[in-house]
Amino acid sequence: MTEPNTIFITGASSGIGAALAESYAAFGKKLFLAGRNNNRLNDIATKCEKLGADVHRIILDVKDPLLCAQAIEQANAIRPLDLVIANAGISGGTGSSGETDNQVREIMDINIHGVLNTVLPAIDVMRSNGGGQIAIMSSLASFKGLPSAPAYCASKAAVRAWGEGLRGDLKKDNIKVSVITPGFVKSGITAVNKFPMPFLMEGKKAAQIIKYGLRRNKARISFPKPMYLAVLFFSALPLYLSEMISDQLPKKS
């Protein structure tokens, strides 16, 4: 595949989204960077502009389907979108009592509806364009429901399954779909974790892995590989065994 020149990224003001924005930034690139935090968004946009990219800042709440559709359509009208990355998401609960009712609803709303609100209008404009590429940010946590963050795991499992199904469905429209399932990557989400995070990765390295996978049109971009294999093994265990192991895992604090 050729390198995308026009890229729309949600959750671009921090974490993997910001790392991807910087990774794609270069002369000739047009970046549409969407986020909720104006100061952080301006910071990453300025960095990308210094690298030569033409950057459009978009303050956006992905929970709003109308605003998301308008943002995608307006960006596509400026220059047809090559790649849309539905990256915006939030983590699970942080207390010993688990996820609160409000946290569960917020996690589901942003992590599921936020992806739908980004991807569905992207599909519409890419069909009109004659093709494109969509990337959906899931997680290695999507392969197994964990007691430390059940809503987070469920939300990431939902978008992973949806994205993998969409991939086959959209081939006829020349729209490529990849699902990204990272492990621990340094971000605002992992910064609050007080427990050991195996293979914790810098955002820059994660962005390089994702870019390589998207360039090859991989169906699933999973990393780091040792953790991915461990998660697949863990998810294949009988429930009683996996429950015994998950009961011993550290809780968020």
Side-chain angles (χ1 to χ4, degrees):
M1 288 184 62
T2 57
E3 188 83 5
N5 290 317
T6 311
I7 304 146
F8 191 109
I9 306 174
T10 65
S13 60
S14 63
I16 295 177
L20 282 167
E22 281 195 78
S23 184
Y24 277 114
F27 288 101
K29 304 288 185 180
K30 190 176 289 289
L31 303 180
F32 295 90
L33 305 183
R36 292 191 296 178
N37 187 296
N38 186 57
N39 291 335
R40 290 205 306 262
L41 192 62
N42 279 331
D43 287 343
I44 187 62
T46 300
K47 291 179 182 178
C48 292
E49 287 170 340
K50 289 180 179 178
L51 292 169
D54 179 14
V55 181
H56 294 252
R57 301 160 172 81
I58 304 169
I59 300 300
L60 183 64
D61 184 351
V62 294
K63 293 184 293 183
D64 190 317
L66 180 59
L67 290 179
C68 284
Q70 288 175 342
I72 293 284
E73 291 163 5
Q74 289 169 2
N76 191 71
I78 294 171
R79 193 161 83 179
L81 295 171
D82 298 318
L83 171 63
V84 171
I85 304 176
N87 168 74
I90 60 173
S91 184
T94 57
S96 59
S97 59
E99 298 162 338
T100 67
D101 290 358
N102 288 338
Q103 283 177 323
V104 169
R105 295 182 187 279
E106 183 80 354
I107 290 164
M108 295 294 188
D109 208 6
I110 292 176
N111 291 5
I112 298 178
H113 294 142
V115 169
L116 300 181
N117 294 340
T118 304
V119 172
L120 291 174
I123 292 171
D124 289 339
V125 299
M126 287 180 180
R127 278 182 173 143
S128 299
N129 296 345
Q133 186 173 28
I134 294 169
I136 295 174
M137 190 66 65
S138 179
S139 169
L140 287 183
S142 68
F143 292 97
K144 183 69 179 178
L146 299 173
S148 58
Y152 179 78
C153 294
S155 67
K156 292 301 186 179
V159 297
R160 176 174 60 82
W162 186 57
E164 290 173 352
L166 276 181
R167 180 179 173 87
D169 183 45
L170 295 177
K171 282 183 180 179
K172 63 185 184 300
D173 299 303
N174 194 32
I175 300 174
K176 303 170 180 66
V177 180
S178 296
V179 176
I180 306 162
T181 58
F184 294 113
V185 177
K186 288 186 178 180
S187 66
I189 288 177
T190 57
V192 300
N193 293 342
K194 303 302 181 184
F195 51 83
M197 291 176 280
F199 307 104
L200 179 64
M201 186 179 293
E202 293 288 344
K204 184 176 181 179
K205 183 176 180 181
Q208 291 171 344
I209 293 170
I210 293 168
K211 279 184 65 178
Y212 178 73
L214 292 177
R215 195 160 53 241
R216 294 180 61 206
N217 187 31
K218 291 187 67 175
R220 183 187 292 170
I221 303 168
S222 300
F223 59 92
K225 195 62 66 178
M227 194 167 181
Y228 176 47
L229 295 175
V231 166
L232 289 180
F233 173 76
F234 181 58
S235 64
L237 291 174
L239 282 175
Y240 78 93
L241 281 178
S242 63
E243 186 174 329
M244 288 173 60
I245 296 171
S246 62
D247 284 346
Q248 305 305 313
L249 294 176
K251 303 294 188 295
K252 289 178 176 286
S253 61

